[in-house]
Amino acid sequence: QTLDRVGVRGVVHAHQGRRMGDDNPYWFNDHLSRHRGIMGLLRRGYPIVPGITSGSAGVKNARLAGSEHGLVEHGQTQDVAFLAPCATLIGNVQLAPNTSIFYKAILKSDVAAYGVNTIHSAEEEERWKSLPVGGYERKQDAGMLDAGSGIGHPTIGGANGGGIYVGEGTNIQDACVVTSYEGHSTIGKYVTVGHGAHIHSATVGDESLIGMGAVLKPGCVVESQSFIAAGAVIERGCVVNSGEIWGGNPAKKLRELTAEEKAKLRVQAEKYISVGNMHNHCMELGGNIPDSFLEDADSLIELSAAEDITKKPVDM
């Protein structure tokens, strides 16, 4: 990306020169970043991103578009709609087609006993998901019974956590945090997760909306077509029934959603697929700006060069 920015700066300077100071030489300073958006962990799994990675065992992405997540209903592609370059997926994170993970979002499944090359089929995946979180069977099954698992802390010693599963058409917006320290975090299809929301080992049903800054604590369940208001805190083990709107800290039921409001939940999620597709050019190296911009810039440079030639004085 640094080289990309250098190239863009060069195109601009070649066309219009510098606004201040001499044109040549000039300094270009850029920060050094070791950020990796998709981070696999040998003993905790490798993210599955349709169209980009195939996951911990090299299992084809087709299994994500099959019985577990359903066929693609909205878009024309089975690829992820958008994964921001500055978003982070760690460990056993599995995205379905047409999902969008926006800027600075973090999905972290780094305490799951889900070693690379330990899961080889959809059937094995379902069996692993059904094992008790933190139990002996799960750790033994993955060949990773950690000696330190008795410490009792999810990030020290044992692999006590679950995975993160994001359904088709769901969008996770800027600065969200999703973890799975105490069990799976499962987010259904066509869910909108607003900016800065936290989901920790919780379950969210299809076509729900999690408002900005909301917090879902471990073990809570938000059923399909529900609305969690901005800033609401859903306590441990709490169940939000289908079609309800909850708000407050601690959150409580405010009222039932109308049929019209329920219908809008799906529509809003579908709009974010389009938004994600508008951004997805920056998922590729050199893609911080659209190719069309570079093509236009090339044309401007050629035009500028032609104008310079016509403006040169002619010796008589």
Side-chain angles (χ1 to χ4, degrees):
Q1 292 181 7
T2 297
L3 291 175
D4 183 42
R5 287 189 286 271
V6 171
V8 172
R9 181 72 65 86
V11 168
V12 172
H13 284 186
H15 173 57
Q16 68 182 26
R18 294 188 67 187
R19 297 293 185 186
M20 299 177 62
D22 297 330
D23 283 341
N24 188 20
Y26 68 88
W27 292 95
F28 178 81
N29 297 320
D30 198 66
H31 68 279
L32 175 64
S33 173
R34 299 185 65 183
H35 172 75
R36 287 183 291 165
I38 301 174
M39 185 182 299
L41 301 174
L42 181 62
R43 306 181 71 186
R44 305 296 181 239
Y46 197 92
I48 293 179
V49 183
I52 300 178
T53 75
S54 57
S56 296
V59 178
K60 298 298 183 182
N61 290 327
R63 75 179 177 89
L64 287 180
S67 60
E68 182 178 353
H69 292 285
L71 298 176
V72 176
E73 301 173 16
H74 178 79
Q76 293 76 43
T77 176
Q78 291 191 351
D79 293 346
V80 65
F82 177 58
L83 174 61
C86 56
T88 304
L89 311 180
I90 302 173
N92 181 28
V93 177
Q94 301 191 17
L95 306 183
N98 279 328
T99 51
S100 300
I101 311 299
F102 285 90
Y103 305 96
K104 295 291 186 178
I106 299 174
L107 283 69
K108 186 159 67 86
S109 176
D110 58 343
V111 291
Y114 192 97
V116 172
N117 293 323
T118 62
I119 306 293
H120 299 280
S121 68
E123 291 74 20
E124 291 182 6
E125 172 79 21
E126 288 301 315
R127 186 175 68 84
W128 180 85
K129 288 171 66 176
S130 68
L131 294 173
V133 173
Y136 176 85
E137 289 183 357
R138 172 174 286 187
K139 300 174 194 174
Q140 186 183 46
D141 179 68
M144 295 180 288
L145 186 62
D146 294 348
S149 60
I151 293 178
H153 190 282
T155 58
I156 302 175
N160 296 315
I164 295 175
Y165 303 90
V166 181
E168 178 206 336
T170 287
N171 62 89
I172 297 181
Q173 298 175 15
D174 309 46
C176 289
V177 177
V178 183
T179 67
S180 57
Y181 289 144
E182 300 181 34
H184 305 305
S185 277
T186 303
I187 304 173
K189 301 177 184 178
Y190 298 96
V191 174
T192 296
V193 182
H195 302 72
H198 283 221
I199 298 175
H200 302 294
S201 298
T203 299
V204 181
D206 298 344
E207 300 180 17
S208 293
L209 188 147
I210 310 301
M212 294 185 293
V215 177
L216 274 56
K217 292 187 177 181
C220 72
V221 176
V222 177
E223 295 183 350
S224 62
Q225 292 190 317
S226 297
F227 189 110
I228 305 302
V233 177
I234 308 297
E235 294 294 333
R236 284 177 173 268
C238 185
V239 176
V240 176
N241 294 319
S242 179
E244 295 180 348
I245 178 170
W246 284 50
N249 181 12
K252 62 181 180 180
K253 178 181 175 180
L254 302 179
R255 62 177 175 85
E256 299 280 341
L257 291 170
T258 66
E260 182 181 3
E261 289 170 334
K262 290 179 183 178
K264 289 181 179 179
L265 296 174
R266 168 75 177 242
V267 172
Q268 179 160 343
E270 289 179 342
K271 287 182 178 179
Y272 271 96
I273 297 176
S274 300
V275 173
N277 285 327
M278 288 168 50
H279 287 239
N280 66 14
H281 61 269
C282 71
M283 292 165 58
E284 301 176 2
L285 182 64
N288 289 332
I289 55 174
D291 291 339
S292 59
F293 178 92
L294 294 176
E295 292 168 1
D296 292 341
D298 290 338
S299 300
L300 289 172
I301 292 171
E302 293 173 3
L303 178 62
S304 178
E307 290 176 350
D308 289 343
I309 292 174
T310 58
K311 291 178 182 177
K312 286 183 179 179
V314 179
D315 295 331
M316 300 297 293

